C-alpha cells in the first residue's frame, strides 16, 4: 500500500494533467470532466481505506454526495457535447445536484457529532454568526434577483434558489466543525474541506449571476472553481488529519475566542451594515427588510455570545476558587485519606452538588496500565471491570494522570478518575487535570513523609549499621573500640578504629567528661545518656551528638553501644538561623525581637542591681532623599555604614539595633543618670552628621533621637513606646534634635488624639464661627473691607487657638472642608452687609486659603459658586495665600490664579516676609495685595532698620502696582509711621478686634464708613 503522501502527490498530478487536457482539448471536455470528478470520489474512498478513521460512514456519505455532483455535471456535459441538445431547466442533472446537498449535510453532521463531545454552545453561536453573515450577500445578490426575474416557472425558480442555499448549508456545517470553543491544533483536512466549499460557493454564485445574464459557457476558466472543489475534498480525505475528524476531542471552555476567530466574526457582523450602506447609495434600494432581519439576527447572536462569555467567566472564577481551596487543603494533607477527601471535596465544587458523579483515586499499580500521559474522556465500560463496578452506573469517566504536564515521562504515581456526565467532564477537564497534578504532588509528599518516618523508626540492625550516617561503636569494659561502623571514616577520618580507646579520639577539652560519662553508664545501670562532644579529625574538629547505651547483658552485643551523629553542619545552620531570626539581614545588628529580649533582661538586672536602663530611638531625617536621588542600593550601603558607625560609637555593654527602614535603636545599660543617655544622644547625632562616602560621592544625613529611661517605663514594650514618643517630639522640633521622654509627652499625645476626634466632629457638624477684622484706610479712617477669621467656640472645653486647630486640620486633611465652609459663609455675610447697609463703597471680604485647598481640583468651581451669592457686589472677594504656595513655579498654580482673576477675585499674599520672600513670584503671578506680617510692624517705632525694611517693601509694591496692607497695628505711632511711608491700608487692634457680623454692621453704620481708632491705642 502506497504511503498517503505519495497517493496525494499522484492524485494532484492526475488532476493537474486532466485539467490541462480539459482546457486544451474542447472535444474531450465531457470525459475529462468525468475523470476529474470521479478521481475526487476515488480519492475520498481511498483516504478512508488508507487512514482508517474511527467512524467511516460520514466519509462514505460525503463521497456519495460528491458522486451525485459529478453525475449531474457529467450528464450536463454529455447532453451538450454528444447530443448537441440544450439542457432543459430543470433537468436530470439538477435532480442529481439537489441530492448532493442533503448528502453533504448528513456527512458533515456526522463529522461534527463525532468530533466534539458535549454541548459547545459558544462554537455553535460562532458558526451561526459566520453563516448568517455569509448567507446575507448570497440572498441579496443571488437569491433575491432569482425571485424577481421573470419568465421562470416555480420549479425553475425554486431550483435556482436551492443551489446557493445548499452551498450556505454546507458552509455552515463546516463552520461548526471548524469552530470549537478551544481548538486542539490545526487540522489540514478541515482546511481543505473549507477551501473546497468556499470555492464551490463562490463559483456557484458566479454561475448563478452568469445564468441571470445568459453569459454562461462551459470549457472556460470559470470551470476551474469546481475542479478546485473536487480536488480539495479528495485531498481532505487522503490527508492523515482526516482521522482526527471522527476521533473524540472534547472542546475546552475558553473565556475569549481566538484572535483570528474574533476577526472572522467581526467581518461577518459587518457584512449586513456594508450591504445596507451599498443599498442605501442606490436610487431604488432592495431587500431592506431582509437586511434588517439578518442584522437583528446577528445582533441577537452576538448578545448570546457575550452572555455565554460572562457565564464562562463566572464558571472560571468558581473553578479557580475551588482549585485554590483544594491546593491549600492538599498542601496540609499528611495522610492518603486526607488527599482523597480533598480531591472529593474539590470535584464536588467543580461539578456542582446537583451533578451525580463519582471520584476515585487509583494507586500507582492500576494507574500505570490505565492512564495515558494526558487526560482522556473514556466510556466507563472500557475500563477494568472492578473499576467500572465502583462508578455507580455512570457512563463516562475522565482519566487524569497525577503528574504535572511538564514532568518527563516516567512512573505515574496514581490516577484521578472522575465519572459523571460527559458534558460536565469535558467542561471541567482542564481544572480536573490541574487538580490531579496537585493531588499527585500531595501523594508523593505523603509517601515521602511516611517513608522518612519509617526509616527513622526502623530498628533493623543491618540498616542501622550499614546504611546510616551515624557512627555506631561497641566498646569493651576498658573503653577500647571493638567495632566501628563504616560511617566512622566521616567523623574520625578512618574506619579502622578497633583497639583504640574512645576517649583518646575525643578533643582534649572534652576527654575527661567523655570518660566520666562512659563510667557512669556502666555504674548506673541500663539507662541511656545523651551528650555533645568534639572529636578529632585530620582536617579539624567535628561536633557530634552522643548517645550511650549499656548492652553488656545482650549476648549479641556484650558491650557499650555509643552512637555518634555528626551535627557540625546542623549546629552551624542552627547558629545561622538564630542569627537571621534575631539579627537584621542588611546591617547584621540585632533586630526588634532580640532588642526587646535584651531590654527585658536589662530591666530585670537594673532592678536587681539598682542601675538605670535607657533606650535611644534613632531616625534618619534625610534617608528618603538618598533613596530617591542615588537609588535603593546606595540607601542600603548608607544603612550599613550607619550601623557600623553606631556600633563603633557605643560601649561594649550597649546594644545597637535596627528596627526597620531607617530606624535604629540603642540600648544603654548601667547608666547612672538620664543625663548619660542624653549625652549619648547628642554624641549619636554628632556622629551621624559627619559625611558618608557612597560610591565616590559624599552624602550628609542627619538624625533625630528620642530618649526614654526605665524610670518612666515598666516593661520593654512601654520603654520602646516612650522612646518613639520622644522621637516624635524631636522630629517635630526640627532636624538634628533629641528629646527625652516626659510624662507630659504622653499626655499631649492623648490630648492631641482627643482634639483630632473633636475636630473631625466639629467639621462634620459645622461647629465653627466667623469673626471679621476690619481693613481700614489709614489716612481716612474708613472701613474698606474685612478679613474673615474662623473661631472654634467650645463652651464646655478649654478654648483652642486658631493656630492650633488650623494646623491640626492641615495635618488631618480636614482643612479643605473647613476652608470651604469659611468661604461660603464669609461671602454670604458680606453680601448681607452690602445689602442692608448700602455703604458708599461696598466693603470686600478677605478669606485665607490653605495650600491643600488651593491645589484641590474643584477649588475654582467652588469660588465660582460663592461669587454667585445673591447681592454680592463684583470684586468683593479677596483670597489670601501664603508665600509657600507661590514659591513653586507650577503651571497648575498659574492656571488656577488666571481662572480666579477672570472671575474678578483679588489675590493677596499673606504674612509677606515671613517665608522665602522672592520678587520672582510677584512678577510671575497676578498678585494684587501684599500683607506685611505683624512681626515687621511691631518694632518700627523703635528700630530704624525695621522702618527701612518696611519702607522698602512699600516702595517695591508701589512700583509693581500692588496694594499694601500692614497687619497688627496696635498704636498710633505705628499707624503714623506707616502713613508717612505711603502704606495706605492696615488692620489691627488699634482700629478694632475681630467682630461678629452684627458688630461689623454697626461699625459700617457709625459715621458712614469711618472707623475711629480705639482710645488708649
Amino acid at each position: 500500500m502506497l504511503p498517503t503522501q505519495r497517493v496525494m502527490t499522484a492524485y494532484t498530478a492526475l488532476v493537474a494533467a486532466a485539467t490541462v487536457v480539459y482546457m486544451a482539448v474542447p472535444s474531450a471536455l465531457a470525459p475529462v470532466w468525468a475523470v476529474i470528478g470521479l478521481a475526487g470520489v476515488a480519492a475520498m474512498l481511498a483516504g478512508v481505506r488508507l487512514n482508517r478513521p474511527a467512524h467511516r460512514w460520514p466519509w462514505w456519505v460525503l463521497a456519495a454526495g460528491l458522486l451525485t455532483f459529478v453525475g449531474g455535471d457529467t450528464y450536463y456535459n454529455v447532453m451538450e457535447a454528444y447530443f448537441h441538445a440544450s439542457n432543459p431547466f430543470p433537468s436530470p442533472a439538477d435532480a442529481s445536484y439537489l441530492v448532493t446537498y442533503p448528502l453533504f449535510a448528513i456527512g458533515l453532521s456526522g463529522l461534527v457529532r463525532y468530533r466534539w463531545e458535549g454541548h459547545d454552545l459558544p462554537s455553535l453561536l460562532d458558526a451561526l454568526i459566520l453563516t448568517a453573515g455569509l448567507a446575507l450577500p448570497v440572498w441579496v445578490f443571488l437569491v433575491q434577483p432569482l425571485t424577481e426575474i421573470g419568465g421562470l416557472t416555480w420549479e425553475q425558480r425554486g431550483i435556482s434558489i436551492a443551489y446557493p442555499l445548499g452551498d450556505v448549508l454546507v458552509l455552515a456545517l463546516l463552520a461548526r466543525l471548524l469552530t470549537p470553543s478551544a481548538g486542539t491544533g490545526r487540522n489540514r483536512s478541515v482546511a481543505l474541506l473549507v477551501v473546497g466549499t468556499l470555492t464551490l460557493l463562490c463559483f456557484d454564485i458566479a454561475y448563478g449571476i452568469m445564468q441571470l445574464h445568459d453569459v454562461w459557457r462551459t470549457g472556460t476558466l470559470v470551470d476551474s472553481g469546481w475542479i478546485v472543489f473536487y480536488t480539495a475534498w479528495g485531498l481532505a480525505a487522503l490527508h492523515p488529519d482526516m482521522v482526527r475528524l471522527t476521533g473524540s476531542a472534547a472542546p475546552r471552555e475558553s473565556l475569549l475566542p481566538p484572535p483570528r476567530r474574533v476577526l472572522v466574526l467581526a467581518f461577518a457582523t459587518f457584512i449586513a451594515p456594508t450591504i445596507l450602506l451599498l443599498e442605501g447609495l442606490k436610487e431604488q434600494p432592495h431587500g431592506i427588510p431582509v437586511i434588517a432581519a439578518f442584522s437583528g439576527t446577528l445582533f441577537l447572536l452576538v448578545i448570546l455570545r457575550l452572555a455565554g462569555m460572562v457565564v464562562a467567566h463566572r464558571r472560571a472564577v468558581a473553578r479557580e476558587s475551588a482549585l485554590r481551596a483544594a491546593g491549600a487543603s492538599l498542601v496540609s494533607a499528611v495522610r492518603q485519606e486526607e488527599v482523597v477527601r480533598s480531591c472529593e471535596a474539590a470535584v464536588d465544587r467543580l461539578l456542582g452538588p446537583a451533578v451525580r458523579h463519582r471520584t476515585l483515586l487509583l494507586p500507582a499499580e492500576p494507574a500505570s496500565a490505565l492512564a495515558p500521559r494526558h487526560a482522556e474522556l473514556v466510556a466507563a465500560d472500557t475500563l477494568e471491570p472492578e473499576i467500572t463496578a465502583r462508578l455507580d452506573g455512570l457512563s463516562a469517566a475522565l482519566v487524569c494522570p497525577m503528574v504535572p504536564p511538564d514532568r518527563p515521562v516516567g512512573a505515574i504515581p496514581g490516577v484521578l478518575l472522575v465519572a459523571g456526565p460527559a458534558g460536565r467532564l469535558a467542561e471541567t477537564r482542564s481544572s480536573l487535570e490541574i487538580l490531579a497534578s496537585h493531588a499527585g504532588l500531595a501523594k508523593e509528599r505523603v509517601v515521602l513523609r511516611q517513608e522518612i518516618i519509617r526509616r527513622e523508626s526502623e530498628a533493623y540492625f543491618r540498616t542501622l549499621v550499614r546504611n546510616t550516617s551515624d557512627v555506631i561503636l561497641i566498646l569493651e569494659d576498658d573503653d577500647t573500640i571493638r567495632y566501628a561502623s563504616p560511617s566512622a571514616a566521616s567523623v574520625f577520618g578512618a574506619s579502622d578504629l578497633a583497639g583504640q580507646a574512645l576517649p583518646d579520639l575525643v578533643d582534649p577539652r572534652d576527654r575527661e567528661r567523655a570518660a566520666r560519662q562512659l563510667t557512669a553508664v556502666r555504674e548506673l545501670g541500663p539507662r541511656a545518656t545523651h551528650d555533645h562532644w568534639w572529636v578529632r579529625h585530620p582536617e579539624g574538629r567535628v561536633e557530634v551528638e552522643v548517645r550511650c547505651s549499656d548492652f553488656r547483658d545482650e549476648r549479641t552485643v556484650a558491650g557499650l553501644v555509643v552512637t555518634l551523629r555528626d551535627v557540625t553542619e546542623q549546629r552551624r545552620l542552627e547558629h545561622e538561623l538564630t542569627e537571621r531570626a534575631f539579627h537584621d539581614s542588611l546591617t547584621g545588628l540585632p533586630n526588634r525581637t532580640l532588642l526587646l529580649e535584651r531590654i527585658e533582661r536589662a530591666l530585670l538586672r537594673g532592678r536587681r542591681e539598682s542601675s538605670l536602663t535607657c533606650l535611644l530611638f534613632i531616625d534618619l531625617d534625610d534617608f528618603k532623599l538618598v533613596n530617591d536621588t542615588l537609588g535603593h542600593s546606595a540607601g542600603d550601603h548608607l544603612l550599613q555604614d550607619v550601623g557600623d558607625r553606631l556600633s563603633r560609637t557605643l560601649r561594649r555593654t550597649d546594644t545597637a539595633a535596627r528596627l526597620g527602614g531607617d530606624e535604629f535603636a540603642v540600648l544603654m545599660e548601667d547608666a547612672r543618670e538620664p543625663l548619660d543617655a542624653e549625652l549619648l544622644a547628642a554624641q549619636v547625632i554628632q556622629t551621624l552628621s559627619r559625611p558618608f562616602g557612597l560610591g565616590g560621592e559624599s552624602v550628609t544625613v542627619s538624625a533625630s533621637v528620642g530618649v526614654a529611661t526605665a524610670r518612666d517605663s515598666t516593661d520593654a514594650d512601654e520603654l520602646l513606646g516612650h522612646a518613639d514618643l520622644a522621637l516624635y517630639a524631636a522630629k517635630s522640633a526640627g532636624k538634628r534634635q533629641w528629646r527625652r521622654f516626659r510624662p507630659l509627652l504622653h499626655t499631649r499625645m492623648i490630648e492631641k488624639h482627643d482634639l483630632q476626634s473633636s475636630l473631625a466632629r466639629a467639621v462634620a457638624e459645622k461647629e465653627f464661627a466667623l469673626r471679621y477684622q476690619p481693613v481700614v484706610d489709614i489716612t481716612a479712617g474708613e472701613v474698606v473691607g474685612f478679613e474673615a477669621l474662623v473661631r472654634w467656640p467650645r463652651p464646655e472645653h478649654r478654648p483652642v487657638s486658631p493656630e492650633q486647630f488650623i494646623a491640626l486640620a492641615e495635618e488631618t486633611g480636614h482643612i479643605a472642608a473647613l476652608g470651604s465652609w469659611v468661604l461660603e459663609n464669609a461671602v454670604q455675610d458680606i453680601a448681607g452687609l452690602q445689602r442692608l447697609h448700602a455703604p458708599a463703597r461696598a466693603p470686600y471680604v478677605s478669606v485665607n486659603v490653605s495650600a491643600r485647598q488651593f491645589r484641590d481640583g474643584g477649588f475654582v468651581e467652588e469660588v465660582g459658586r460663592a461669587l454667585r451669592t445673591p447681592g454680592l457686589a463684583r470684586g468683593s472677594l479677596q483670597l489670601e495665600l501664603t508665600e509657600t504656595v507661590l514659591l513653586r513655579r507650577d503651571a497648575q498654580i498659574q492656571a488656577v490664579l488666571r481662572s480666579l482673576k477672570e472671575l474678578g477675585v483679588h489675590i493677596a499674599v499673606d504674612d509677606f516676609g515671613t517665608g522665602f520672600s522672592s520678587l520672582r513670584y510677584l512678577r510671575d503671578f497676578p498678585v494684587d495685595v501684599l500683607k506685611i506680617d505683624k512681626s515687621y510692624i511691631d518694632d518700627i517705632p523703635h528700630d530704624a532698620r525695621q522702618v527701612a525694611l518696611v519702607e522698602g517693601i512699600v516702595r517695591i509694591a508701589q512700583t509693581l502696582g500692588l496694594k499694601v496692607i500692614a497687619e497688627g497695628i496696635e498704636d498710633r505711632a505705628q499707624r503714623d509711621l506707616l502713613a508717612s511711608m505711603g502704606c495706605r491700608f492696615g488692620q489691627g487692634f488699634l482700629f478694632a478686634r475681630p467682630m461678629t457680623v452684627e458688630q461689623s454692621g454697626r461699625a459700617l453704620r457709625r459715621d458712614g464708613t469711618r472707623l475711629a481708632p480705639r482710645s488708649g491705642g
Side-chain angles (χ1 to χ4, degrees), residues 578-651:
T578 302
E579 285 290 314
R580 291 183 181 180
F582 293 100
H583 290 78
D584 176 56
S585 60
L586 179 63
T587 62
L589 296 176
N591 58 14
R592 181 185 292 268
T593 303
L594 182 56
L595 177 66
L596 288 173
E597 181 182 332
R598 291 187 178 180
I599 291 174
E600 290 287 0
R601 290 205 303 264
L603 290 174
L604 290 174
R605 187 167 55 254
R607 297 188 191 103
R608 201 168 50 242
E609 301 174 1
S610 300
S611 60
L612 183 63
T613 301
C614 305
L615 183 67
L616 279 63
F617 206 143
I618 305 165
D619 183 85
L620 302 182
D621 295 324
D622 302 316
F623 179 71
K624 185 177 184 302
L625 182 62
V626 175
N627 263 347
D628 293 343
T629 55
L630 301 181
H632 290 276
S633 178
D636 291 344
H637 285 299
L638 175 61
L639 293 174
Q640 292 172 342
D641 293 345
V642 168
D644 292 340
R645 193 174 290 183
L646 270 179
S647 299
R648 292 195 301 269
T649 304
L650 305 178
R651 304 174 304 171

Side-chain angles (χ1 to χ4, degrees), residues 557-578:
V557 179
L560 292 186
V561 175
V562 179
T563 305
L564 306 178
R565 175 175 296 175
D566 184 354
V567 293
T568 308
E569 185 66 18
Q570 177 182 341
R571 291 291 182 266
R572 187 189 66 79
L573 291 175
E574 288 177 357
H575 178 71
E576 183 178 338
L577 290 175
T578 302

Side-chain angles (χ1 to χ4, degrees), residues 918-952:
S918 171
L919 297 179
R920 179 184 58 77
Y921 70 73
L922 297 179
R923 179 198 66 194
D924 293 345
F925 296 113
V927 176
D928 300 298
V929 178
L930 291 184
K931 299 190 72 175
I932 304 176
D933 188 69
K934 180 179 182 300
S935 61
Y936 287 86
I937 306 303
D938 289 340
D939 296 332
I940 58 173
H942 317 291
D943 190 341
R945 290 182 300 176
Q946 199 79 338
V947 171
L949 183 58
V950 174
E951 190 172 6

Side-chain angles (χ1 to χ4, degrees), residues 44 303 317 498:
M44 295 192 75
I303 292 297
V317 170

Side-chain angles (χ1 to χ4, degrees), residues 110-124:
L111 294 180
V112 172
R113 172 190 172 188
Y114 292 120
R115 179 60 177 155
W116 306 117
E117 299 173 352
H119 300 287
D120 193 6
L121 182 60
S123 298
L124 179 60

Side-chain angles (χ1 to χ4, degrees), residues 26-44:
S27 60
L29 185 148
V32 173
W33 186 264
V35 169
I36 293 173
L38 292 174
V41 177
M44 295 192 75

